[in-house]
C-alpha cells in the first residue's frame, strides 16, 4: 500500500539506487480532459522517478511522464513531500 502522506521521500526503501538527474519533463493525468504540469525530473531509475513541480499539486494515483520525446507510464504515485512526488513505474510485461 502506498504512503501518500509521507513528509519525506522514502529514499532508504528503494530496491535499486536511483541516480540523481535534472531533466525537464511533463506530468500527464486525467481522462478525456488531460491535465499537464511541467516538472523537473530529479532522480530516474528503471523502477521509478522523483519529480518536482513548481507548485504543490494533488496528483492522482496513476499518471504518465514525458521526457523529451519519450512517454513513460503508467506510473503509480508512492509518496508526496511538498512539491516533490515519487512514482513507481508499472512492471513491463514480457
Amino acid at each position: 500500500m502506498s504512503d501518500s502522506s509521507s513528509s519525506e521521500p522514502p529514499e532508504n526503501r528503494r530496491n535499486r539506487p536511483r541516480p540523481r538527474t535534472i531533466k525537464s519533463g511533463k506530468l500527464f493525468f486525467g481522462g478525456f480532459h488531460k491535465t499537464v504540469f511541467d516538472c523537473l525530473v530529479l532522480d530516474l531509475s528503471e523502477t521509478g522517478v522523483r519529480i518536482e513541480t513548481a507548485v504543490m499539486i494533488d496528483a492522482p494515483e496513476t499518471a504518465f511522464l514525458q521526457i523529451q520525446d519519450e512517454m513513460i507510464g503508467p506510473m503509480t504515485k508512492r509518496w508526496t513531500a511538498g512539491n516533490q512526488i515519487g512514482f513507481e513505474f508499472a512492471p513491463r510485461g514480457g
Side-chain angles (χ1 to χ4, degrees), residues 50-70:
R50 177 171 59 116
I51 66 164
E52 182 174 274
T53 56
V55 296
M56 286 179 55
I57 63 171
D58 186 18
E61 292 302 311
T62 303
F64 290 81
L65 178 66
Q66 182 178 3
I67 303 173
Q68 296 176 351
D69 293 332
E70 182 181 4

Side-chain angles (χ1 to χ4, degrees), residues 31-57:
F32 183 72
H33 299 286
K34 296 247 184 273
T35 302
V36 180
F37 282 94
D38 289 325
C39 64
L40 285 178
V41 177
L42 302 176
D43 326 308
L44 180 63
S45 74
E46 293 179 9
T47 58
V49 65
R50 177 171 59 116
I51 66 164
E52 182 174 274
T53 56
V55 296
M56 286 179 55
I57 63 171

Side-chain angles (χ1 to χ4, degrees), residues 13 26-27 33 37 51 88 92:
R13 293 189 282 169
K26 293 188 181 295
L27 182 66
H33 299 286
F37 282 94
I51 66 164
E88 179 180 33
R92 293 184 180 179

Side-chain angles (χ1 to χ4, degrees), residues 80-92:
T80 60
N83 294 7
Q84 294 185 12
I85 308 167
F87 287 99
E88 179 180 33
F89 301 140
R92 293 184 180 179

